């Protein structure tokens, strides 16, 4: 025996065997202790667990859920409880799929917990208010901010699409005053194009969070010279052939947008368009004409005008009791018509049947001009202001005689 103990290899083997035995003994004790611990009952409290509401979000809106978080108490074997607390697979669910709009108190349900865990939820019920969603079409408003570069002006925004659909509870929809976005044109020298995110606002300018379709629109803001839209005036010259008359003249457009410096644009009340000659025409005719640039105007929109001239066979009509009007009188003289004595004349007018049916004596002005005439009797030609597209019938030399005399002292003194 002593001989074995003095052998180094034998000692090493014995030491190794003792070490293995000690390791086995220690680990058996740890396993027994651990197994005992994991089988022990345990209670765990978890606070502020969010409630997951389950409902048809395309038709309903959950406006109130009170409370929004609950407390849960877990009871079970320690190993099972520990497994739940380290997992995210569980939730506290509120099922609203079978509930209509209104005010409700409903139970919550634990979902995803192991079957060997007892779950207590505090509180067990929550208060919810459900509203039905409505859809409303709302126009888009773009606020143009800033000032373009010198001598330029921002035009009307072009918005695509110019309306959006808003889905929200009725109460929210009623609060919406407008849907708008902002675009800056500050110092811009050319058209500004961008995509704009929209927001809904109430009458006090407070933003309202709603679902919008689409939430973003394309906006283009033209940058141009100063402009204004004014009536387009055409000049018609000549007369139709004998026996014909103009019934109407229509033009498209009847207004034109003129561009130029601000002082040029501001002083224009109408724009003089092209000249149209109807001399000797015998039938209805259409014209397509360029609108000329005049008076330092740099651009016109549109640049062309189409004109429809309606021509029909003419008819004549006698007009009686036309009162003569004297113009150009000298305030120091007394002027009166002596021939005809009544101061009234008659004449024949010619034009389209529809116009002749409507013409009245009040539509005709017969004028005698006595400007710069000395005292005495004067036979003068009568000139006429006639309605549009109306002319004198067959040649008529209509004259009137006026007498000019000095006023008596009594007449001169009267106010």
């Amino acid at each position: 025996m002593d001989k074995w103990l003095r052998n180094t290899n034998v000692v090493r083997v014995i030491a190794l065997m003792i070490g293995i035995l000690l390791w086995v003994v220690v680990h058996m004790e740890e396993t027994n202790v651990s197994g005992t611990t994991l089988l022990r009952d345990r209670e765990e409290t978890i606070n502020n667990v969010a409630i997951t509401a389950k409902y048809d979000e395309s038709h309903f809106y959950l406006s109130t859920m009170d409370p929004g978080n609950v407390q849960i108490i877990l009871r079970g074997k320690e190993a099972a409880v520990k497994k739940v607390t380290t997992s995210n697979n569980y939730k506290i669910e509120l099922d609203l799929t079978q509930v209509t709009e209104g005010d409700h108190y409903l139970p919550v349900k634990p979902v995803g917990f192991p079957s060997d865990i007892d779950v207590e939820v505090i509180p067990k019920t929550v208060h919810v208010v459900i509203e039905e969603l409505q859809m409303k079409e709302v126009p888009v408003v773009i606020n143009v901010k800033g000032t373009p570069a010198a001598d330029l002006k921002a035009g009307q925004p072009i918005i695509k699409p110019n309306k959006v659909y808003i889905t929200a509870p009725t109460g929210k929809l009623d609060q919406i005053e407008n849907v708008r976005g902002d675009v800056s044109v500050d110092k811009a020298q050319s058209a500004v194009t961008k995509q704009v995110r929209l927001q809904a606002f109430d009458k006090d300018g407070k933003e309202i969070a709603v679902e919008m379709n689409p939430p973003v629109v394309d906006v283009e803001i033209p940058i141009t010279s100063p402009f204004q839209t004014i009536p387009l005036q055409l000049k018609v010259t000549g007369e139709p052939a004998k026996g014909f008359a103009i019934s109407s003249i229509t033009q498209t457009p009847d207004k034109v947008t003129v561009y130029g410096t601000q002082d040029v644009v501001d002083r224009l009340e109408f724009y003089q368009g092209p000249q149209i000659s109807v001399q000797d025409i015998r039938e209805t005719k259409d014209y397509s004409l360029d609108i000329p640039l005049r008076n330092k105007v740099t651009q016109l929109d549109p640049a062309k005008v189409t004109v429809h001239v309606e021509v029909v066979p003419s008819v004549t009509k006698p007009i009686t009791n036309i009162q003569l009007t004297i113009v150009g009188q000298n305030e120091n003289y007394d002027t009166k018509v002596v021939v005809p004595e009544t101061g009234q004349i008659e004449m024949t007018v010619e034009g389209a049947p529809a116009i002749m049916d409507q013409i009245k004596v009040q539509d005709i002005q017969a004028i005698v001009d006595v400007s710069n005439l000395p005292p005495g009797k004067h036979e003068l030609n009568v000139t006429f202001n006639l309605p549009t597209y109306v002319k004198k019938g067959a040649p008529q030399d209509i004259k009137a005689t006026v007498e000019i005399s000095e006023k008596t002292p009594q007449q001169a003194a009267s106010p």
Side-chain angles (χ1 to χ4, degrees):
M1 184 73 174
D2 291 341
K3 190 175 182 179
W4 286 358
L5 292 174
R6 291 190 188 97
N7 189 316
T8 304
N9 291 330
V10 171
V11 172
R12 287 176 179 173
V13 169
I14 293 172
L16 177 62
M17 292 177 65
I18 293 171
I20 292 171
L21 288 171
L22 289 172
W23 183 87
V24 170
V25 169
V26 170
H27 278 76
M28 285 180 65
E29 288 180 355
E30 286 181 355
T31 302
N32 289 335
V33 171
S34 177
T36 303
T37 301
L38 292 176
L39 293 174
R40 191 169 56 195
D41 288 337
R42 179 176 175 180
E43 182 178 291
E44 181 85 17
T45 299
I46 304 177
N47 296 313
N48 297 319
V49 178
I51 299 173
T52 302
K54 180 181 177 183
Y55 63 98
D56 183 357
E57 296 184 31
S58 63
H59 290 89
F60 295 98
Y61 172 71
L62 182 59
S63 61
T64 300
M65 182 169 65
D66 184 31
N69 297 302
V70 294
Q71 180 187 74
I72 60 173
I73 301 174
L74 306 177
R75 298 183 181 93
K77 298 302 180 182
E78 185 163 352
V81 171
K82 186 176 181 181
K83 185 176 180 181
V84 171
T85 58
T86 58
S87 168
N88 292 321
N89 294 329
Y90 68 87
K91 61 183 176 180
I92 304 300
E93 185 176 88
L94 176 63
D95 188 355
L96 304 172
T97 55
Q98 304 301 315
V99 179
T100 59
E101 62 177 325
D103 195 299
H104 308 274
Y105 286 87
L106 300 169
V108 292
K109 178 183 177 182
V111 176
F113 291 88
S115 58
D116 55 350
I117 291 289
D118 177 59
V119 182
E120 181 183 356
V121 182
I122 304 174
K124 293 182 173 60
T125 61
V126 296
H127 173 221
V128 295
V129 177
I130 302 174
E131 298 181 60
E132 187 175 4
L133 294 177
Q134 303 289 336
M135 183 179 287
K136 179 180 181 181
E137 187 180 50
V138 181
V140 176
V141 177
I142 295 298
N143 289 334
V144 180
K145 295 188 174 183
T147 303
D151 296 325
L152 296 178
K153 186 175 181 179
Q156 188 71 21
I158 302 168
I159 310 167
K160 297 180 181 179
N162 60 3
K163 293 181 181 179
V164 295
Y165 291 95
I166 293 179
T167 302
T170 303
K172 271 194 175 184
L173 284 181
D174 293 340
Q175 295 176 28
I176 295 173
E177 184 73 12
N178 57 48
V179 170
R180 66 176 187 259
D182 298 332
V183 177
S184 174
V185 297
D186 202 42
K187 298 180 181 178
Q189 297 181 339
S190 59
V192 175
T193 303
K194 67 178 298 185
Q195 290 188 310
V196 180
R197 187 179 74 86
L198 301 175
Q199 296 170 289
F201 295 90
D202 64 14
K203 63 180 180 180
D204 297 322
K206 183 179 178 182
E207 184 178 355
I208 303 174
V210 291
E211 181 184 335
M212 213 176 297
N213 184 28
V216 175
V217 294
D218 296 317
V219 179
E220 179 181 353
I221 301 178
I223 303 298
T224 64
S225 302
F227 63 89
Q228 71 163 324
T229 301
I230 54 178
L232 175 63
Q233 179 71 39
L234 300 180
K235 184 175 182 181
V236 180
T237 63
E239 291 185 354
K242 186 176 180 180
F244 293 89
I246 295 174
S247 175
S248 65
I249 296 180
T250 55
Q251 65 183 70
T252 304
D254 58 357
K255 292 183 179 180
V256 65
T257 301
V258 295
Y259 297 82
T261 59
Q262 195 67 58
D263 61 326
V264 167
V265 169
D266 287 345
R267 67 170 176 258
L268 292 175
E269 295 182 2
F270 67 92
Y271 192 79
Q272 184 62 59
Q275 179 175 292
I276 300 173
S277 174
V278 296
Q279 186 65 36
D280 294 331
I281 65 173
R282 297 171 176 269
E283 59 186 4
T284 297
K285 191 172 182 180
D286 292 312
Y287 301 81
S288 179
L289 305 170
D290 293 326
I291 306 174
L293 294 175
R294 308 179 192 273
N295 303 323
K296 298 182 180 180
V297 169
T298 58
Q299 182 183 344
L300 295 168
D301 185 23
K304 283 182 173 290
V305 60
T306 58
V307 184
H308 178 75
V309 180
E310 187 78 23
V311 177
V312 297
S314 64
V315 296
T316 59
K317 180 177 181 178
I319 305 293
T320 59
N321 302 322
I322 304 171
Q323 187 68 43
L324 287 168
T325 299
I326 300 175
V327 298
Q329 299 178 72
N330 189 317
E331 62 180 11
N332 297 318
Y333 292 95
D334 184 34
T335 304
K336 64 180 180 179
V337 176
V338 294
V339 179
E341 293 182 1
T342 61
Q344 297 178 339
I345 61 169
E346 63 179 42
M347 70 176 301
T348 300
V349 292
E350 181 180 355
I355 296 176
M356 293 296 97
D357 288 343
Q358 300 295 323
I359 197 167
K360 302 183 294 292
V361 66
Q362 295 88 341
D363 300 327
I364 299 173
Q365 186 179 27
I367 300 171
V368 178
D369 188 355
V370 297
S371 300
N372 302 317
L373 292 179
K377 289 186 178 182
H378 304 274
E379 186 180 54
L380 303 172
N381 290 324
V382 178
T383 58
F384 296 91
N385 283 337
L386 299 174
T388 305
Y389 314 138
V390 174
K391 60 183 179 181
K392 287 196 298 183
Q396 302 168 73
D397 188 17
I398 301 176
K399 295 180 179 294
T401 301
V402 298
E403 183 177 17
I404 303 174
S405 59
E406 292 186 13
K407 291 184 177 179
T408 64
Q410 290 84 357
Q411 290 175 318
S414 61

